[in-house]
Amino acid sequence: MKGKLDPSVRQALVEEGKNLKEGLIALEEDLVQLTDKLQLEAQSIPNTTHPDVPVGGEESSVLRKEVGSQRSFNFAIKDHLQLGKELDLFDFDAAAEVSGSKFYYLKNEAVLLEMALVNWAISEVSKKGFTPLITPEIVRSSVVEKCGFQPRAKNTQVYSIEDSDQCLIGTAEIPVGGIHMDSILAESALPLKYVAYSHCFRTEAGAAGAATRGLYRVHQFSKVEMFIFCRPEESGKWHEELITIEEDLYASLGLHFKTLDMATGDLGAPAYRKFDIEAWMPGLERYGEISSASNCTDYQSRRLGIRYRPSPSEPPSTSTKKGKGAASGPTQFVHTLNATAVAVPRLIVCILENFQQGDGSIVVPEPLRPYMGGLELLSPKFK
Amino acid sequence: MLTCGRFISSSAATSTASFFPFRTLTRSLVRRPAPHLLSSASAAAATAVELDTNDGSAGGGAGVVRPQWKAAIDFKWIRDNRDAVADNIRTRNSTANLDLVFELYDQYLTLQKEVERLRAERNAVANKMKGKLDPSVRQALVEEGKNLKEGLIALEEDLVQLTDKLQLEAQSIPNTTHPDVPVGGEESSVLRKEVGSQRSFNFAIKDHLQLGKELDLFDFDAAAEVSGSKFYYLKNEAVLLEMALVNWAISEVSKKGFTPLITPEIVRSSVVEKCGFQPRAKNTQVYSIEDSDQCLIGTAEIPVGGIHMDSILAESALPLKYVAYSHCFRTEAGAAGAATRGLYRVHQFSKVEMFIFCRPEESGKWHEELITIEEDLYASLGLHFKTLDMATGDLGAPAYRKFDIEAWMPGLERYGEISSASNCTDYQSRRLGIRYRPSPSEPPSTSTKKGKGAASGPTQFVHTLNATAVAVPRLIVCILENFQQGDGSIVVPEPLRPYMGGLELLSPKFK
């Protein structure tokens, strides 16, 4: 319509243009809706899986490593609830009144034990080059979703805040993953390694039965979490590093545990590969999960928008183009990994049940003693 | 004779229960002296007069939601001290409506009496029907009994609603006030103690935000994306500083006989209310959990107060002293402006709180003890601060007396509140239902009665006190701003060094 035209020709063109425009608007709306639907469906596709991961349900998980063995006791042992009662370490009854079931107060030496576990873990892991962090425990629900969790699902693990788009975190993985959201990192900055301390809140909706006794399954607990942002080629190596750090921590506490390579049915959408550690809990007569280390490759970073700019492979030549942009490649998504250093309640279960003595006292693991003012033994008090 | 006709006749109401027939009732009746109404908890000759709705009847009209709990209000005391209570409400700028309370209380007494009278008549009719009677006489009695019963049910429903309303109004009456508390607003608070003085710097000082940025100690920007404004990440040595402050405080305070506690941070909203907070108010400080009657705590005072709710403690167990560590969550709704910069006002923070349950005669002494512990803690950190006896306008409903400590923050150029110590006397315990049984004054004699019950007095409400040991973010502000050096490094206060692996200085890193 740019040239000089006959009025009737122009009019016809205007009509045609108008029809095209309306049709286009309608189609563009459809495209947006279709794109949203496509995006939603595609986002529910789980991460790819490492070729060595065993296929099947929980029972197909493969033993990678076993440390220690089940201690044999020459006296009748107690579970952590009874030990805690006799040593005045917890109060579940008062917490049930004040807050509801699966809440608890820690008292006396149990407070020192929690603080010691946290302090010790932060100290040990930061020595290995991890940056200590204390994180928000309230986050936007979108960040929760980007990490691969589902705050709005039926039986969700996530607590939501009323009149708000915010949620409580179930793990520091979420605020740590979010710390670099929508960013482009320099390759030279990688790997970024964090050790983060937070409280964690989980609804445990749908979890019932004997496996929820005492400290084993609770709504609120303290956790020190390790998180790594790295180049894709390195995530396998960092996964091995993380599981080794965990195994060293628990071995030094004197625990007996198994490291499992979790089977496909147990991975959870974000994980490319997941190693769980299950420790022996003699009072509960079971191995219980005390930590989990996942390599999420680019699943989370594609959602959180975390990229890095690869460094130029050769120094810039006499090219007239300014800046690094010309010689470096396009941005890539980082890989993310997360691993539990200490999840306090289950470690308290392990310590109480494994290190109990015939007289009802508990031997404090050596690495924790400096963090408890040198305390070596939790003894029954004459009250 | 249909005795129930007496109270219905003067109103337009028919035999169907109208909403408030008692209004007509009270106007037509002569006021009688108030009977002593005893709560079910203190059956012996108690000085407290509480409302008794244990009549087992219908719980209010259709669809009416009863309150989940009620405070043990001493109505007789309020009535005997009306002027003092009114004065107190005024000086505290409370919105409690005392006149309404009295009006409702009088209606309550009258209605209660009427209900008792009807019950007595109904019993009399029932007794009359026990013997051998003429069928027509029996029939008339049955009719009368039925009318009395219907009338009674209606009145009892009214009584429940009236009691709930009275209870609600009365619960908003603030605690009494210590006679030495200055009267007035914030500016009337009185200085009790001053420790140290404002340090003079021979270089241009920075505020904690700038120091934190240069030392890579916080990240507010990332937190704003992930969580929203007034959230933050602590990084590097700031993490060690927080852990050190918490560890040190728990250690120091437990040496003084306080039992360490780590508490739930999610609690039932009724417990929040019983401590004197208002989760449902507009601009509430309290975060609520969706699809639940639970809230996030703003202070460990709440779960610690709740640990002994609905209990009777032995006198020998008192005082019970706790030092509790928790995270605290506050909406800070309605707080805006420059006073919210950086770590000064945040939605989430760590706090170590002291809490005492004691005998009433001792709460004054424990209040002094608590403020002394706080002053010693902050003096040992090397802070300059002022302890204030807060004025009536600044007390908050639960506090009988409140001491605040404000520390000098040179970067923010202001004194900022770093702790608060309140004596709540029996305000919280009347709501949480925490009593103690006084020990017998003499050992049991050769009396044949078993147990302690016979010689000990009726149960009494304990007094509760709470005081901040450390509230981490504002102490970080104080430490960074006060102990900064010309080269941008920060001197770590001596008491914290053992908890930071001996670290003496936070130094700028070459990054």
Side-chain angles (χ1 to χ4, degrees):
Chain A
M1 296 201 296
K2 287 182 178 162
K4 205 162 149 60
L5 297 166
D6 205 39
S8 63
V9 174
R10 177 170 291 278
Q11 186 55 32
L13 283 174
V14 164
E15 278 298 317
E16 192 179 347
K18 194 164 144 230
N19 287 336
L20 286 170
K21 177 176 171 181
E22 282 171 16
L24 199 56
I25 286 172
L27 274 193
E28 279 169 344
E29 269 176 33
D30 291 340
L31 186 63
V32 165
Q33 282 180 35
L34 180 61
T35 307
D36 287 349
K37 196 160 157 48
L38 169 60
Q39 187 73 25
L40 208 68
E41 290 299 329
Q43 276 171 192
S44 68
I45 296 172
N47 202 357
T48 54
T49 309
H50 189 292
D52 292 350
V53 170
V55 176
E58 202 176 330
E59 63 295 340
S60 303
S61 301
V62 162
L63 183 68
R64 273 176 53 100
K65 184 172 190 161
E66 184 161 358
V67 171
S69 59
Q70 296 180 15
R71 172 183 167 194
S72 49
F73 295 87
N74 56 9
F75 56 90
I77 63 167
K78 302 166 186 167
D79 71 8
H80 69 280
L81 273 174
Q82 199 181 345
L83 291 161
K85 184 168 269 186
E86 291 170 6
L87 291 163
D88 199 19
L89 297 177
F90 333 122
D91 193 332
F92 279 86
D93 295 336
E97 292 300 313
V98 171
S99 306
S101 71
K102 299 201 192 63
F103 284 98
Y104 56 99
Y105 294 82
L106 292 184
K107 301 174 67 172
N108 295 309
E109 289 92 338
V111 173
L112 302 184
L113 203 44
E114 161 155 337
M115 302 304 301
L117 283 162
V118 170
N119 287 316
W120 168 70
I122 292 175
S123 176
E124 288 301 299
V125 178
S126 55
K127 282 177 195 164
K128 298 186 192 308
F130 288 70
T131 299
L133 274 186
I134 281 174
T135 77
E137 289 156 9
I138 292 178
V139 297
R140 300 181 199 271
S141 59
S142 56
V143 181
V144 177
E145 289 168 352
K146 290 174 185 180
C147 291
F149 300 90
Q150 297 178 302
R152 302 286 160 201
K154 181 163 137 62
N155 273 359
T156 179
Q157 277 281 19
V158 182
Y159 284 101
S160 289
I161 307 280
E162 209 174 78
D163 297 331
S164 151
D165 73 336
Q166 294 166 315
C167 307
L168 294 181
I169 61 171
T171 162
E173 178 190 337
I174 299 171
V176 179
I179 207 173
H180 293 302
M181 57 188 231
D182 302 320
S183 300
I184 300 176
L185 309 169
E187 185 175 17
S188 55
L190 302 177
L192 282 165
K193 294 156 49 176
Y194 294 104
V195 55
Y197 167 43
S198 80
H199 290 179
C200 302
F201 302 91
R202 300 188 183 185
T203 66
E204 300 295 350
T212 64
R213 195 164 156 70
L215 286 177
Y216 192 79
R217 194 176 301 278
V218 290
H219 289 304
Q220 173 192 322
F221 60 98
S222 295
K223 180 162 70 61
V224 178
E225 183 81 359
M226 299 179 282
F227 198 102
I228 296 182
F229 301 82
C230 67
R231 294 183 304 126
E233 312 82 82
E234 297 197 333
S235 59
K237 156 189 134 183
W238 287 117
H239 199 197
E240 293 293 331
E241 173 77 13
L242 287 169
I243 195 65
T244 302
I245 292 175
E246 290 185 356
E247 289 164 346
D248 289 347
L249 287 172
Y250 308 137
S252 75
L253 288 180
L255 301 183
H256 159 48
F257 60 89
K258 299 175 174 179
T259 308
L260 304 169
D261 196 348
M262 301 309 284
T264 49
D266 237 20
L267 282 181
Y272 175 72
R273 193 176 197 185
K274 188 160 88 93
F275 301 140
D276 278 8
I277 293 183
E278 301 191 348
W280 178 238
M281 301 175 174
L284 296 182
E285 290 173 273
R286 61 169 291 174
Y287 286 89
E289 182 193 325
I290 58 167
S291 86
S292 192
S294 297
N295 179 358
C296 297
T297 64
D298 63 354
Y299 185 97
Q300 294 179 324
S301 58
R302 283 179 175 272
R303 287 155 176 72
L304 291 165
I306 307 174
R307 298 172 165 82
Y308 74 101
R309 188 176 298 288
S311 310
S313 41
E314 294 160 21
S317 62
T318 52
S319 157
T320 49
K321 285 215 179 98
K322 283 196 303 196
K324 309 195 211 58
S328 59
T331 59
Q332 310 276 352
F333 287 103
V334 300
H335 277 198
T336 64
L337 301 98
N338 64 81
T340 324
V342 299
V344 171
R346 290 192 183 173
L347 284 181
I348 291 183
V349 173
C350 286
I351 289 169
L352 295 182
E353 296 191 355
N354 280 288
F355 306 136
Q356 59 181 298
Q357 301 196 290
D359 63 359
S361 61
I362 315 282
V363 178
V364 176
E366 276 203 47
L368 302 180
R369 295 177 189 181
Y371 297 91
M372 292 175 75
L375 192 65
E376 296 181 2
L377 208 65
L378 308 191
S379 317
K381 293 160 202 58
F382 191 54
K383 289 184 187 289
Chain B
M1 182 176 73
L2 297 177
T3 52
C4 62
R6 262 192 268 150
F7 67 90
I8 283 181
S9 62
S10 55
S11 80
T14 60
S15 58
T16 53
S18 69
F19 226 62
F20 291 109
F22 67 88
R23 285 195 182 275
T24 337
L25 172 66
T26 55
R27 282 188 206 118
S28 65
L29 290 184
V30 173
R31 287 185 185 181
R32 320 244 167 106
H36 266 236
L37 296 164
L38 305 175
S39 77
S40 52
S42 48
T47 51
V49 175
E50 298 164 12
L51 304 183
D52 176 20
T53 50
N54 292 341
D55 48 14
S57 66
V64 170
V65 176
R66 305 245 10 239
Q68 288 179 296
W69 57 277
K70 58 175 198 170
I73 305 280
D74 188 343
F75 286 93
K76 181 173 185 297
W77 187 90
I78 291 174
R79 204 200 35 202
D80 292 346
N81 293 275
R82 181 174 189 160
D83 290 342
V85 174
D87 236 13
N88 190 45
I89 288 173
R90 196 168 31 248
T91 58
R92 283 168 172 264
N93 292 325
S94 162
T95 54
N97 186 343
L98 192 60
D99 290 339
L100 181 57
V101 171
F102 272 85
E103 190 187 315
L104 292 172
Y105 187 56
D106 284 338
Q107 289 177 9
Y108 165 82
L109 293 178
T110 310
L111 186 55
Q112 174 79 334
K113 195 140 179 74
E114 187 57 20
V115 164
E116 284 174 3
R117 191 181 65 77
L118 273 193
R119 282 183 189 149
E121 283 194 26
R122 196 178 154 210
N123 287 341
V125 167
N127 281 333
K128 280 187 205 159
M129 295 205 297
K130 286 180 179 163
K132 203 162 152 60
L133 297 166
D134 204 39
S136 64
V137 173
R138 177 170 290 278
Q139 185 55 30
L141 283 177
V142 164
E143 278 297 314
E144 190 178 350
K146 192 161 145 233
N147 285 336
L148 283 172
K149 176 178 172 179
E150 280 169 13
L152 198 56
I153 286 173
L155 273 196
E156 281 168 344
E157 269 176 31
D158 290 339
L159 186 63
V160 164
Q161 282 178 36
L162 177 60
T163 307
D164 288 349
K165 193 162 158 52
L166 170 58
Q167 187 71 30
L168 207 68
E169 289 300 329
Q171 276 170 192
S172 68
I173 296 173
N175 200 359
T176 54
T177 309
H178 189 291
D180 292 351
V181 168
V183 175
E186 201 177 331
E187 63 295 338
S188 303
S189 300
V190 161
L191 183 68
R192 272 176 54 100
K193 183 171 191 157
E194 186 161 356
V195 170
S197 60
Q198 295 180 15
R199 173 183 168 195
S200 50
F201 295 87
N202 57 9
F203 56 89
I205 63 168
K206 302 165 186 166
D207 71 9
H208 69 280
L209 274 174
Q210 200 182 344
L211 292 162
K213 184 167 271 186
E214 291 169 9
L215 292 163
D216 199 18
L217 297 178
F218 332 123
D219 193 331
F220 279 86
D221 294 336
E225 291 301 312
V226 171
S227 306
S229 70
K230 299 200 191 65
F231 284 99
Y232 57 100
Y233 294 82
L234 291 184
K235 301 175 67 171
N236 295 309
E237 289 93 338
V239 172
L240 302 184
L241 204 44
E242 163 155 336
M243 302 305 301
L245 283 163
V246 170
N247 288 317
W248 168 71
I250 291 175
S251 176
E252 288 300 300
V253 178
S254 56
K255 281 178 196 163
K256 297 186 194 303
F258 288 70
T259 299
L261 274 186
I262 280 174
T263 77
E265 289 155 10
I266 292 178
V267 297
R268 299 181 200 271
S269 59
S270 55
V271 181
V272 178
E273 290 169 353
K274 291 174 186 180
C275 291
F277 301 90
Q278 296 177 302
R280 303 285 161 202
K282 183 165 136 62
N283 273 359
T284 179
Q285 277 281 17
V286 182
Y287 284 101
S288 290
I289 306 281
E290 210 174 77
D291 297 330
S292 149
D293 74 335
Q294 294 166 316
C295 307
L296 295 180
I297 61 170
T299 163
E301 177 189 339
I302 298 170
V304 178
I307 208 173
H308 292 301
M309 56 189 228
D310 301 320
S311 300
I312 299 176
L313 309 168
E315 185 176 18
S316 55
L318 302 177
L320 282 164
K321 295 156 50 176
Y322 293 105
V323 56
Y325 167 43
S326 80
H327 290 178
C328 302
F329 301 91
R330 301 187 183 187
T331 66
E332 299 296 349
T340 64
R341 195 163 157 68
L343 286 177
Y344 191 80
R345 194 175 301 279
V346 289
H347 289 304
Q348 172 192 323
F349 60 99
S350 296
K351 182 164 67 61
V352 177
E353 182 81 359
M354 299 180 281
F355 199 102
I356 295 182
F357 300 83
C358 68
R359 295 184 302 127
E361 313 81 81
E362 297 198 334
S363 57
K365 155 190 136 183
W366 287 116
H367 199 198
E368 293 292 333
E369 174 77 13
L370 288 168
I371 195 65
T372 301
I373 292 175
E374 289 184 356
E375 289 165 346
D376 289 347
L377 287 172
Y378 308 138
S380 75
L381 288 180
L383 301 183
H384 160 47
F385 60 88
K386 300 176 174 179
T387 308
L388 304 170
D389 196 347
M390 302 309 284
T392 49
D394 236 19
L395 282 181
Y400 174 72
R401 192 175 200 186
K402 187 161 89 92
F403 301 141
D404 279 7
I405 293 183
E406 301 191 349
W408 179 236
M409 302 174 175
L412 297 182
E413 291 175 272
R414 60 169 292 174
Y415 287 89
E417 181 192 328
I418 58 168
S419 85
S420 192
S422 297
N423 178 359
C424 297
T425 63
D426 62 357
Y427 185 96
Q428 294 178 326
S429 58
R430 281 180 175 274
R431 287 155 176 74
L432 291 165
I434 308 175
R435 298 173 166 83
Y436 74 100
R437 187 176 299 285
S439 312
S441 40
E442 298 162 18
S445 62
T446 52
S447 155
T448 49
K449 285 210 180 100
K450 284 199 302 201
K452 311 193 207 66
S456 60
T459 58
Q460 310 277 351
F461 288 104
V462 299
H463 277 199
T464 62
L465 301 99
N466 65 81
T468 324
V470 300
V472 171
R474 289 193 184 173
L475 283 181
I476 291 183
V477 172
C478 286
I479 289 169
L480 295 182
E481 296 191 356
N482 280 288
F483 306 137
Q484 62 182 297
Q485 301 196 291
D487 63 0
S489 61
I490 315 284
V491 177
V492 175
E494 276 202 48
L496 301 179
R497 294 177 189 181
Y499 297 92
M500 291 175 74
L503 193 63
E504 296 182 0
L505 208 66
L506 309 190
S507 317
K509 293 163 202 55
F510 191 55
K511 288 185 187 291

